[in-house]
Every structure is written in C-alpha cells, then in structure tokens.
Amino acid sequence: EAPYRQVDSDRYSLDPRCPEDYRRLLRDVCGETGECAGVVHLSSLDSTAGEQTTLESLSKDLVQATVSATYLVQAIVRHGFRDAPRLFLVTRGAQSISPDEPIAVAQSPIHGLGKALVLEHPEIACRRIDLAHVASEGDAEWIVAEMEGGDREDQVAIRGGTRYVARLVRGDVDLRRDDVLRIADGIALCAGRLGQVADADGARVDE
C-alpha cells in the first residue's frame, strides 16, 4: 500500500494496515481537538463479491474492511473529541433479510464489529447500513439520508427502495423439530437462522 499522503485539498490516501495513518488523518482534517459531525466507512464496498470469494481474497478483504474500521474506531476514540462524531459502517450484502438472499462473507465481520461498538462505545452512535448486493444509482442518496436521519436505529438494510430495521418479535417454534432442545417449560434452545427483521413500516420478514 502507498504511504500516507494528501492527494489534494480534501482527499487523502492511507494504508489500511497502518493504525497511525488513521490518527494522522483525523489530526490533519479535524485538528487536535476540532469538531467532526460524522465519519462514513465505505471500504467494505470494495470487497470481493460473495460468489467470487477465495481464501486469498477473504484475507485481503478483512484488512480492507474490518481491520481498517477497527483502526478508524481506535483513532476516533483516542483523538480527544469533545463530542465524538457518529460512525456509519456501510456494507453490501452483509446481512440477509430473506431465506434465499446470500451473505457477503467478507463483510459480515464488520457487521459484528458494529454490534460490539454499540455496546462498548455508545458515544460514537455507530449505525450499520447494509446495501443490496447489486449496486444501484440510489445507494448514495440512501447513505446521505441515513446520515441525516434523526431516528435511533443502529442497524439498517436497504433493499429495492425499502428500508428495513432490526426488530425482536415473538415467533412460533415447533418444539417437535430436530434442531430444538427443550430446556424447561416455556424455554427452548433453537439452532439455525431464527432472526427477523422488519421494514420501516413494521412489515415483518422472517429469516
């Protein structure tokens, strides 16, 4: 990777494997204690498509996506902002909202990182934005809308012009299934994909 440098007045190039580059970027752009409203991480969008993923590409994509996001978070936390900027982690196909939708394996870890950040660094107010597998002209508009949005959702998926958010809902489980272990009356341990998401209007989609 090329060393850290300023490309022009508002563009910088850095090595995603170098933690110091992220700290230097924040110093150069925001100053030592300057203000920053938000940071958008888009590197995951350059990851290899799911069906083309290999062990070699997976290793490279993990650095490009999850490792770089981790270094970015560390730089934000250590920078000394009075009011920490919001962090937006953008992925493509990292989550599945329907049974037949494939998952981009290389991008799934960054989704897990986002979950941890919500708990460990709530001051960053991390929001995960998952775009559809196939890029569309409206992707940029959706990202901007999420950046400007005022709701408290921290997990959003955009599919076919519809906004989906995560919800825990009561579900029906067949206790006679082979993958269900009954622990006690009213309590069962279930293996498999039982999560659910709902669109912004409350319509439920079962995984």
Side-chain angles (χ1 to χ4, degrees), residues 10 13 58 61 63 65 81 90 95 145 149 154 156 164 187-189:
D10 58 359
S13 174
L58 182 59
D61 289 340
V63 172
F81 289 107
V90 184
Q95 292 293 292
D154 59 26
V156 177
Y164 295 86
I187 302 176
L189 177 63

Side-chain angles (χ1 to χ4, degrees), residues 42-103:
L42 299 170
S43 297
S44 299
L45 301 184
D46 294 327
S47 297
T48 306
E51 64 277 5
Q52 300 174 357
T53 299
T54 64
L55 288 176
E56 182 179 356
S57 69
L58 182 59
S59 177
K60 178 181 178 181
D61 289 340
L62 286 175
V63 172
Q64 186 74 19
T66 308
V67 173
S68 69
T70 301
Y71 289 155
L72 175 61
V73 171
Q74 292 173 345
I76 292 173
V77 171
R78 296 171 181 173
H79 184 74
F81 289 107
R82 185 185 65 179
D83 298 311
R86 292 199 62 185
L87 176 64
F88 301 88
L89 300 177
V90 184
T91 54
R92 187 178 298 285
Q95 292 293 292
S96 173
I97 66 168
S98 63
D100 58 347
E101 185 177 19
I103 293 178

Side-chain angles (χ1 to χ4, degrees), residues 129-143:
I129 306 171
D130 192 47
L131 304 174
H133 282 269
V134 180
S136 69
E137 294 182 355
D139 285 349
E141 286 77 8
W142 275 109
I143 294 173

